[in-house]
Each structure stands twice: as structure tokens, then as C-alpha cells.
Amino acid sequence: MNSIPAATLRRLAIAARAPSLNATQLIQLAATDPGLASLGGRDRRAFAQLGLTTHCADWLATPDDSLVDSDLRWLESSGVILLPAMSPDYPGLLRESPDAPAVLYVRGDLRVLAEPQVAMVGSRNPTAGGRATARDFAAFFARAGLTVTSGLALGIDAACHEGALDAGGPTVAVLGCGLDQIYPRNHEKLAERVAAQGALISEFPPRTEPMPACFPQRNRIIAGLSHGTLVIEAAEKSGSLITARLAGVAGRDVFAIPDSIHNPLARGCHQLIRQGAKLIERPEDVLCELKISLSAQLVAGPSPGLAVPGSGAALLDKEYKILLDALAFEPASVDNLIERTGMNSESIASMLLILELDGHVAPHPGGRYSRMAGQ
Amino acid sequence: MNSIPAATLRRLAIAARAPSLNATQLIQLAATDPGLASLGGRDRRAFAQLGLTTHCADWLATPDDSLVDSDLRWLESSGVILLPAMSPDYPGLLRESPDAPAVLYVRGDLRVLAEPQVAMVGSRNPTAGGRATARDFAAFFARAGLTVTSGLALGIDAACHEGALDAGGPTVAVLGCGLDQIYPRNHEKLAERVAAQGALISEFPPRTEPMPACFPQRNRIIAGLSHGTLVIEAAEKSGSLITARLAGVAGRDVFAIPDSIHNPLARGCHQLIRQGAKLIERPEDVLCELKISLSAQLVAGPSPGLAVPGSGAALLDKEYKILLDALAFEPASVDNLIERTGMNSESIASMLLILELDGHVAPHPGGRYSRMAGQ
């Protein structure tokens, strides 16, 4: 963040606190006012075409300077990064999802947010079996190169983060409060591990307490970040079903694990399956379904209804094409591909996984890859 | 059977043994030769338009008289009834199903075959939980007035028959061998209970041993008799999945009960759910789905593609209309309805259940019913 001029950072801090400002509005504002000089400028005319609430326009024109100063001091001391929707680092899938946050607060590694993610959610009071399934599936996804995204809650969420971390994979935790506090309190150590090995993110400014109303809002970010959402154990009318519904609304896959008809925590999953969620028995089933989705995305490009200028999916799509073009039918190593494309090794490794799942490339001994015939 | 002339009975016994003769072919033959006098008549010209195999036509023209005599002696001594496809007692749903048997051997109460049936099938080696679920669901269906149809096999089949019988309901067992033998042997007592309280049926003539090839054939009768097929616990590639597939092919509902992903006997059910079977948590879910199907059938009449002249479903439809016409908006007792329609109390009770599920009639205290407004 040191490379960002102080004036720009201040404007991002103003945008981050603007009530109900969403990604689309901030991107539109940045298109006409690239330096966001209008923020804090006391003139509301720049905001006229954005469809903002009065409350939001008031804040953007005349923010509370002492509050913004305090946020800036916290950002500096905590190392938390502000990630606005127009940044190339802002996750593309989230940007395409309905009512995406204008600015994210991020603690950890920004690059993790660009990796393909699968959301895993479920009950705060799972059965021992549900908890074990969560850990096992998360570990499998981590080993397969997928980032596990969840909500740092008790129960299934924690088991998913732990499963991914223990398998050496990154994981993303989306909080329903400011990043200056951790909820629940006894997940502070887990939050440290997530920040060290992945990222903690929130749309809520510092000093936002965890409130019931924050959690459904938080859930839309979990769903929006992910190619699909897997529900493990969920009661009827539970928060996990909201996340699943939001994933469906955003056009993402919804997955659910069945269980005994005598387990009340299977009810929510069974309800989702009846409504069209994919029934999942093994973590491979999720990869197989994501392969289909990713393959469709790769072939068709992002859906026109969802795409926004400079969207991450379009970017992803372009990068995949560059990588495919750099691959020949003679096997090449990741080092060869770094040389040919100028991309970094993490991006290449992650894209190769997707391309392999997708049947576009074939793996060879010694970590080399070749393009498949007909691709 | 005493009322059937000996010559007719002999011709039915010939038809019952005709290899690969199906219901449609026998109905077509009866349409041009109502007394079936051509059977055993040594003249094959009557069979020319039926598309029979040479083997079948040979048998119909020149059957083995001593074998037929032996069958007739067994029919007389055992009390087993021959039920040809053109009989009004032949189950209408079965008649509409693909490749229905030309003649059924029936031991027990013919009227049970006209009742609405739900098929229940599953593993021969179920878990204790699966067995309990089978019993509980079957007992619920029996109390709700649905006849439970299964295959008298070990495991789930037996638990379903027992659940229905213990709840005082009738049940239908379809055998994969002749009715002169019971397979498995240790189900002889269960078979006696089924025959006394419902019906044992088979398309196989006496002295047909249980052979592996007979069971998929038997399964199509289970599926064909029933409005829907519920699979309880089934391994991948098991016979229960064949029954479910045949139910789907016959245009009937397929239901499956989910279970833990760690139960190998849940695999078959999960596979069915993925392929579109309805996920069932409670027996009420099955009634609710059947209500939709039966309601559509009542409103639309039988599908033109499936209907055959004098089909059971058309008959059913007509009887329902008579019963509805006999009902007023003033509550009436079943006795009133017997007086008004001339139907028997069992038929009326069974039709009232369907009409109630269907929202056409409302129950009142004292076992009385009224027509719903708008019906």
C-alpha cells in the first residue's frame, strides 16, 4: 500500500465507508473521475448519475474527516489493504456478482483472491461426522489447488478452514465485522493462520461489531467469490441456505451433501438438492462439476449479463488463452511457460490445474504439460 | 374361476405359457378372436398380424397338451387364478406399461390389484436403519390406504411387506418364479401372509425355477403395477436400480431416500436422485408427489399414447367421475355413496383417499365426505 499516494488512499478510505455504495457504482464513478478527486470534495454533482442514496452521496461529498483519519491510521498500523472494485486485484467473480462491495478490506495475501475458490459453509453446531466431512473435503480441495472460502464461524466453517490449512492450501475467510475484531473470539488463532496462509477479508470498516444483519451480507461475498458453494450440514431456514441461494442467484453452482433422513442437519441440504443443487458424495464430484462450469466459461467467455468492463473473468479468460497459446504438443515445464508468457509460477500452476480438469492440457512426468489435440 | 368354462380356461393356460407373448398382443388377438378359439387350434393364420416370434406362434397353434393339462390340475388344486390382459380385473397401470405380461398368475385377492399401489424396493443386505425405514414407510402407506408392492426378496422387500401387513394393509408380492414355489425358501410364511391379506403374483408358469434372468423381468411388473417406485437402500448397479429405471420408462414417479455418503448402500439412491428421482425424507413426501401425479391423471385422463381399449386407467377415471357426481357439498357417508353408486365400500374408500389427496373432496367427522367447491 506504500506505493499508493496518500490522497488516493484517503479517497479509497472514504469510498470504503460510503453506506450502500456498490462495486458497479464505484467503477462508474472511477470511469468519469479516475483519481476519485470528487470524493470528499463537497460537490455532489459528480455523483448525480450513479443512482446513490442521499445518505451515500452526502457521505461521499462531506465525509467525517476524523473517522477517515482514524481508519487511515488503523490501515497503516494493521497492514490491512484497501481493495477497490476497479483494481485488477479485485476478484473478478465477486465483481460480477450482484451488489458486490465497492471496496474490500484485506488482511493477508491479495493473490489468493485471484485463485479459483470453492465456498464451503454449514451449521455452527454440526455432528462429529459433518465436521470430519468438512475437514476431509477442504483438505482434498486444497491439495487439488482450489482455495477454500468460508466465514470463520464455529462448526463447519472452522473445520473447512482448518482442513485447507492443514493440507497446506490457502483459505479465504470472509468476516461479518471489521477486520480489527475477530468473531467468534476463540477463533483468533485460526484467524491468524488464515491471514498468514491466505486472506481475511471484510467489506465492513474497522469498529463494525458483528451484528445479525451483517451475516447474510457477508454470505453474499462468500458466494460471490466462489465458482460454487458446497453446503455440508445445515438445518432448515439456516444461514447456509442463504449463502446457497445467493450462489444460485449469482449463477454459480450449488452443491449439497446428503445424509440420513434422521439427521435434522441434513434437512437443509436435502431441501437444496430438491431445488436443484447437485448432490455430492465425494470431493471429486465437485471438481467434476466445476470442470464443466469452468469449461463452459472458457469456451463461451463470461456471460454478457454479468460481465462488467475489465472484469476478472474476462481477464482470466484472456490469460488462459495466452497460456494455451504458449503450450505446444511437446511437453513444457512451468519454467518454460514462465519464460514464454511472463506470468508468475502460481498463476501458471493454478491455470494448468483448471486446463487439465478441463481436458485442454495433459500432464506429463516431471511436472510438464502439453496441449491436447484439437484444443 | 369355477364360472369360467373349461375350454376358455384351457386357452388362457395356453396363452399364459406362450413364450414372449405380451399384453398388447393378447388383447389384439382377443379383439379378432374373442373366445381365443384359435389357441391350440393348429392353425397359425389367426396370429399373422400380431408380430409374434415363430416360437410363440408355434406354441399357440400346437401347445404341449400334457403340460397344459398339468397346469390346469395345478390351477384347480392351488386356487391360483389366471388373469389375462383383457380382463377388467387386470391392473390398468400394468396394462399401460411397456411389455406387460399377457397373463398373470394370482394367488390371493384379485381386488387388491385394482388398488393404488406404491412399489418399494431395495437391497437384499440392508443396514438395520434401512430395514427400519422400509418397515416404517410401508406401515405409513398401508395406513394411508396405499398398497405396498415389492418382490418378496430378502432384506428391504421383506421389511416392506411386513411393515404393510403389520399395519393391517394389503400388499402385493411379485415373484420371479412360478407360484408353486417360493423364493427364498425361508419366506414361505411371509408369502402365506401376503396371499391371505393381499396377493402373490407372477407371470411365470408353475415349475419355473428362480433364475437370475427372471428378476429383471419380475422388476418390470413391480414398476408397472405402481404409481411410483421408492428405492430405500441400493448399491450401485443393483436390481433395485433396474426397477427404478423401468418405473421411469413407464412414466411413473421414481423416489429415493438419501443417506450418509459413508453408507455404500446409499450410492444407488444418490445416483437416482442425481438422475432426477425425487429425494424423499418422509413418507408424506411420497403421498404429496403421488397426489400431483394422480391429480394430473384425473384432470387430463390417461395419456393417449399409453391408453389401450378398456384400459384400467380409463375405467378408474370413469368411476371417479361417477363417485364425484354422487357426492354433494353436504357431507355423505360411505354407506350413502354405496347406495348412490352401487360400488363396493373398498373401492369407494380407496377412491375417496385419492380424491382427498387430490383436493377434490373434504373429509368430515364420522367418516363422511363432501365435494370441494369448484370441483
Side-chain angles (χ1 to χ4, degrees):
Chain A
M1 293 301 283
N2 294 335
S3 59
I4 296 184
T8 306
L9 189 56
R10 179 172 196 88
R11 289 169 197 145
L12 292 183
I14 294 170
R17 275 212 179 255
S20 80
L21 182 69
N22 67 31
T24 309
Q25 292 165 333
L26 183 61
I27 290 168
Q28 282 175 353
L29 180 61
T32 55
D33 176 11
L36 298 179
S38 53
L39 298 194
R42 316 213 161 253
D43 182 352
R44 303 150 118 268
R45 278 175 300 181
F47 316 137
Q49 301 304 315
L50 302 180
L52 305 180
T53 62
T54 313
H55 198 39
C56 181
D58 282 349
W59 169 268
L60 289 177
T62 56
D64 177 337
D65 285 329
S66 68
L67 193 54
V68 175
D69 287 338
S70 152
D71 286 354
L72 288 168
R73 283 192 300 273
W74 170 74
L75 286 167
E76 186 162 10
S77 66
S78 65
V80 166
I81 302 163
L82 282 181
L83 186 56
M86 56 281 189
S87 163
D89 291 326
Y90 189 97
L93 278 184
L94 179 62
R95 192 191 285 120
E96 290 171 8
S97 70
D99 193 31
V103 180
L104 287 176
Y105 296 85
V106 182
R107 201 177 129 212
D109 188 349
L110 269 186
R111 289 169 305 177
V112 170
L113 298 178
E115 305 287 325
Q117 293 168 51
V118 61
M120 293 181 72
V121 295
S123 173
R124 284 188 298 276
N125 298 296
T127 64
R131 203 184 292 268
T133 299
R135 286 186 65 92
D136 292 348
F137 274 59
F140 181 96
F141 295 142
R143 284 191 295 265
L146 275 172
T147 295
V148 171
T149 297
S150 192
L152 204 77
L154 292 172
I156 294 295
D157 282 18
C160 294
H161 290 302
E162 285 164 0
L165 290 167
D166 291 349
T171 182
V172 173
V174 187
L175 304 194
C177 55
L179 290 187
D180 57 336
Q181 42 211 304
I182 295 301
Y183 178 82
R185 287 270 166 208
N186 55 353
H187 279 175
E188 281 185 355
K189 274 194 181 160
L190 177 59
E192 287 308 318
R193 287 186 71 195
V194 172
Q197 208 168 315
L200 285 175
I201 70 174
S202 177
E203 67 178 316
F204 298 108
R207 291 178 301 285
T208 309
E209 299 282 337
M211 302 274 284
C214 295
F215 292 99
Q217 253 187 281
R218 179 270 310 262
N219 293 350
R220 94 183 186 291
I221 302 182
I222 296 176
L225 281 167
S226 305
H227 285 281
T229 292
L230 173 63
V231 184
I232 303 220
E233 273 189 329
E236 286 175 300
K237 296 176 189 166
S238 59
S240 305
L241 302 193
I242 297 175
T243 313
R245 191 174 57 75
L246 293 168
V249 167
R252 312 294 162 76
D253 283 319
V254 180
F255 307 112
I257 296 182
D259 200 9
S260 163
I261 57 174
H262 304 297
N263 176 5
L265 292 177
R267 299 269 160 76
C269 290
H270 292 164
Q271 185 185 322
L272 289 172
I273 293 167
R274 279 208 201 89
Q275 292 167 351
K278 281 153 187 133
L279 184 154
I280 298 299
E281 288 182 300
R282 305 168 312 150
E284 291 90 335
D285 297 341
V286 172
L287 287 194
C288 189
E289 293 290 343
L290 288 180
K291 169 185 158 180
I292 295 162
S293 305
L294 291 168
S295 163
Q297 188 185 320
L298 200 59
V299 171
S303 129
L306 290 172
V308 293
S311 103
L315 212 65
L316 207 69
D317 206 16
K318 195 178 150 199
E319 286 180 354
Y320 277 104
K321 282 177 189 144
I322 293 170
L323 185 60
L324 270 178
D325 289 342
L327 267 169
F329 301 106
E330 275 296 304
S333 68
V334 172
D335 283 344
N336 297 149
L337 292 170
I338 294 174
E339 241 178 68
R340 291 177 198 168
T341 65
M343 298 176 193
N344 66 35
S345 61
E346 282 97 338
S347 303
I348 289 173
S350 144
M351 285 192 281
L352 283 172
L353 167 79
I354 303 299
L355 290 169
E356 184 187 339
L357 284 172
D358 192 26
H360 287 270
V361 305
H364 293 270
R368 291 169 313 141
Y369 287 81
S370 70
R371 197 160 174 173
M372 297 282 276
Q375 304 296 327
Chain B
M1 291 302 281
N2 294 335
S3 60
I4 297 184
T8 306
L9 189 56
R10 181 174 193 86
R11 288 169 196 144
L12 292 184
I14 294 170
R17 273 209 181 258
S20 81
L21 181 70
N22 68 30
T24 307
Q25 291 165 332
L26 183 61
I27 290 169
Q28 283 176 354
L29 180 61
T32 54
D33 176 12
L36 300 179
S38 54
L39 299 194
R42 314 212 164 255
D43 182 351
R44 302 149 119 268
R45 278 175 302 180
F47 316 138
Q49 302 304 316
L50 302 179
L52 305 179
T53 62
T54 312
H55 197 38
C56 180
D58 283 347
W59 168 269
L60 289 177
T62 56
D64 177 338
D65 285 329
S66 67
L67 193 56
V68 174
D69 288 337
S70 152
D71 285 354
L72 287 168
R73 283 193 300 275
W74 170 73
L75 285 167
E76 186 162 10
S77 65
S78 65
V80 165
I81 303 164
L82 282 182
L83 186 56
M86 56 281 189
S87 164
D89 291 326
Y90 189 98
L93 277 185
L94 179 61
R95 192 192 283 119
E96 290 170 8
S97 70
D99 194 31
V103 181
L104 287 175
Y105 296 84
V106 182
R107 203 177 129 210
D109 187 350
L110 269 187
R111 291 169 304 179
V112 170
L113 298 179
E115 306 286 326
Q117 292 168 52
V118 61
M120 293 180 71
V121 295
S123 174
R124 285 188 298 276
N125 298 295
T127 65
R131 204 183 292 268
T133 298
R135 287 187 63 92
D136 292 349
F137 274 59
F140 181 96
F141 295 143
R143 285 192 293 267
L146 275 172
T147 295
V148 171
T149 297
S150 192
L152 203 77
L154 293 172
I156 294 296
D157 283 18
C160 295
H161 290 303
E162 285 164 359
L165 291 167
D166 291 348
T171 181
V172 173
V174 186
L175 304 195
C177 54
L179 290 188
D180 58 337
Q181 41 211 304
I182 295 302
Y183 178 82
R185 287 270 165 207
N186 56 353
H187 278 175
E188 281 184 357
K189 276 195 180 160
L190 178 59
E192 287 307 318
R193 289 187 69 195
V194 172
Q197 205 168 317
L200 285 174
I201 69 174
S202 178
E203 67 176 316
F204 297 108
R207 292 179 301 285
T208 309
E209 301 282 337
M211 303 275 284
C214 295
F215 291 100
Q217 254 187 281
R218 182 269 311 264
N219 292 349
R220 94 184 186 290
I221 302 183
I222 296 176
L225 282 167
S226 306
H227 286 281
T229 292
L230 173 63
V231 183
I232 304 220
E233 274 190 328
E236 287 175 301
K237 297 178 188 165
S238 59
S240 306
L241 302 194
I242 296 175
T243 312
R245 191 175 56 76
L246 293 168
V249 167
R252 312 294 162 75
D253 283 319
V254 180
F255 307 113
I257 297 182
D259 199 11
S260 163
I261 56 174
H262 304 297
N263 176 5
L265 292 177
R267 298 270 161 78
C269 290
H270 293 163
Q271 185 184 324
L272 289 172
I273 293 167
R274 280 209 202 89
Q275 291 167 350
K278 281 153 186 134
L279 184 154
I280 298 299
E281 287 181 300
R282 305 167 312 148
E284 291 88 335
D285 297 341
V286 172
L287 288 194
C288 189
E289 293 290 344
L290 289 181
K291 171 183 157 180
I292 295 164
S293 305
L294 291 169
S295 162
Q297 188 184 319
L298 201 59
V299 171
S303 129
L306 289 173
V308 292
S311 105
L315 211 68
L316 207 70
D317 206 18
K318 193 179 153 199
E319 286 181 353
Y320 276 104
K321 282 178 188 144
I322 293 170
L323 186 61
L324 269 178
D325 289 342
L327 267 169
F329 300 107
E330 274 296 305
S333 69
V334 171
D335 283 345
N336 296 150
L337 292 171
I338 293 174
E339 242 177 65
R340 291 177 197 167
T341 64
M343 296 176 192
N344 67 35
S345 62
E346 282 97 337
S347 301
I348 289 174
S350 145
M351 285 193 283
L352 284 172
L353 167 80
I354 303 298
L355 290 169
E356 185 188 338
L357 283 173
D358 192 28
H360 287 270
V361 306
H364 294 272
R368 291 169 312 140
Y369 287 82
S370 70
R371 197 160 173 173
M372 297 283 276
Q375 303 295 326

